[in-house]
């Protein structure tokens, strides 16, 4: 139905910035999206979500004020701008999608990318 591919991960020093992108293909009409991250031994953690038209956004408390989620439906892309990065932001970041309803719960999404690694050094 929908295919998602993340890009933009890498290594950055604490305090720096990084921009992640997610390219979507397939049937993306009326499609809510989000970003999640995961480290070894931990559950997949909510980061940010955005409604199907980009009018509503949600952020985890740990990233609010530092990260910004956006989307461009004419290009079928979603972006996570990450500023003031901290070592605890180190994780594999995944983009996710689902029909209609914006959600902060990983289990409610049915389309996932393969992930992109973000490493924040101190």
């Amino acid at each position: 139905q929908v295919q998602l591919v993340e890009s933009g991960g890498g290594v950055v020093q604490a305090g720096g910035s990084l921009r992640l992108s997610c390219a979507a293909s397939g049937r993306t009409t009326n499609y809510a999206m989000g970003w999640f991250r995961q480290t070894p031994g931990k559950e997949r953690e909510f980061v940010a979500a955005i409604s199907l038209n980009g009018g509503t956004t949600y952020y985890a408390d740990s990233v609010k004020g530092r990260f910004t989620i956006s989307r461009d439906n004419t290009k079928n892309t979603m972006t996570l701008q990450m500023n003031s990065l901290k070592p605890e932001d180190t994780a594999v970041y995944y983009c996710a999608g689902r029909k209609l309803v914006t959600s902060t719960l990983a289990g409610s999404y049915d389309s996932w990318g393969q992930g992109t690694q973000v490493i924040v050094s101190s």
Side-chain angles (χ1 to χ4, degrees):
Q1 294 273 14
V2 175
Q3 297 79 45
L4 304 173
V5 179
E6 305 96 337
S7 63
V11 180
V12 64
Q13 291 189 342
S17 298
L18 203 61
R19 179 177 293 178
L20 305 183
S21 295
C22 178
S25 61
R27 304 178 74 86
T28 57
T29 303
N30 298 322
Y31 210 66
M33 303 182 75
W35 287 97
F36 294 79
R37 65 189 183 187
Q38 190 167 27
T39 56
K42 291 184 175 293
E43 298 293 323
R44 192 160 295 186
E45 177 188 27
F46 168 73
V47 176
I50 189 165
S51 61
L52 55 90
N53 288 320
T56 303
T57 58
Y58 300 93
Y59 296 93
D61 289 341
S62 59
V63 307
K64 191 173 184 178
R66 300 188 297 120
F67 291 10
T68 302
I69 187 172
S70 62
R71 66 190 298 167
D72 183 348
N73 287 348
T74 66
K75 302 293 185 182
N76 286 328
T77 58
M78 177 179 64
T79 298
L80 184 68
Q81 177 65 47
M82 305 184 294
N83 298 324
S84 301
L85 283 163
K86 305 174 180 179
E88 51 262 46
D89 294 318
T90 296
V92 176
Y93 284 71
Y94 299 87
C95 63
R98 60 158 290 147
K99 195 174 188 294
L100 290 177
V101 180
T102 314
S103 177
T104 63
L105 303 177
S108 69
Y109 288 83
D110 56 12
S111 297
W112 294 87
Q114 294 299 305
T116 185
Q117 176 70 250
V118 172
I119 299 175
V120 184
S121 62
S122 60

